[in-house]
Amino acid sequence: MSASPRRFGRSFKPFKRPWLWAGLWILAIACVVVGSLLPSSDLPSVKVNDKVEHFVAYAVLSAGAVQLFARRLSWGFVCVLLVLMGIGLEVLQAQMGLGRMLDRNDALANTIGVLIGLATAMTPLRDVLLRFDRRL
């Protein structure tokens, strides 16, 4: 009798390398947190509107959740947490006194990014990482 393969978690898709993909996603979250809390003078100058940066960052994090998790409930839970994280980081920026300020439009761009990333669940793109993982 052969042992069945152990799953990473009930909500995760059946990856060969779940720790790798989950680790990279958590690293991306950490990068957004650190980038949000660094003084603006310590950040590289990018020739893009900062609202676009917020939108793209949170869309990528949300789409990453769609790639990792198999269950809709997990997608929703993670997306709510991402929206709350974006709002919380805006509040922290204002309270830390490092030359950053709370910007409601940044929080709105984050939220719209989360929704767009979540919308990838309704497309054939939702299993791209799983297919890539199986080819490796």
Side-chain angles (χ1 to χ4, degrees), residues 35-121:
S36 296
L37 296 179
L38 283 174
S40 55
S41 60
D42 291 349
L43 296 173
S45 177
V46 181
K47 304 286 188 220
V48 176
N49 183 303
D50 81 310
K51 305 307 177 258
V52 173
E53 292 175 21
H54 283 265
F55 169 81
V56 169
Y58 281 81
V60 167
L61 294 179
S62 179
V66 169
Q67 293 299 310
L68 287 175
F69 299 106
R71 298 170 49 187
R72 290 180 183 171
L73 182 61
S74 298
W75 299 338
F77 182 71
V78 168
C79 288
V80 167
L81 289 178
L82 287 173
V83 169
L84 292 174
M85 180 181 88
I87 293 168
L89 288 171
E90 287 299 319
V91 170
L92 281 173
Q93 285 178 353
Q95 293 180 344
M96 289 178 66
L98 296 173
R100 309 280 300 258
M101 60 185 200
L102 186 144
D103 186 342
R104 288 185 177 98
N105 290 326
D106 286 349
L108 179 61
N110 298 344
T111 302
I112 294 169
V114 167
L115 293 173
I116 295 299
L118 179 61
T120 64

Side-chain angles (χ1 to χ4, degrees), residues 3-59:
S4 64
R6 188 165 154 88
R7 293 259 332 244
F8 187 64
R10 289 184 330 174
S11 294
F12 277 84
K13 292 179 182 176
F15 292 107
K16 289 185 202 177
R17 297 160 193 83
W19 289 100
L20 172 64
W21 307 125
L24 288 173
W25 183 65
I26 291 169
L27 180 62
I29 292 171
C31 287
V32 169
V33 169
V34 169
S36 296
L37 296 179
L38 283 174
S40 55
S41 60
D42 291 349
L43 296 173
S45 177
V46 181
K47 304 286 188 220
V48 176
N49 183 303
D50 81 310
K51 305 307 177 258
V52 173
E53 292 175 21
H54 283 265
F55 169 81
V56 169
Y58 281 81

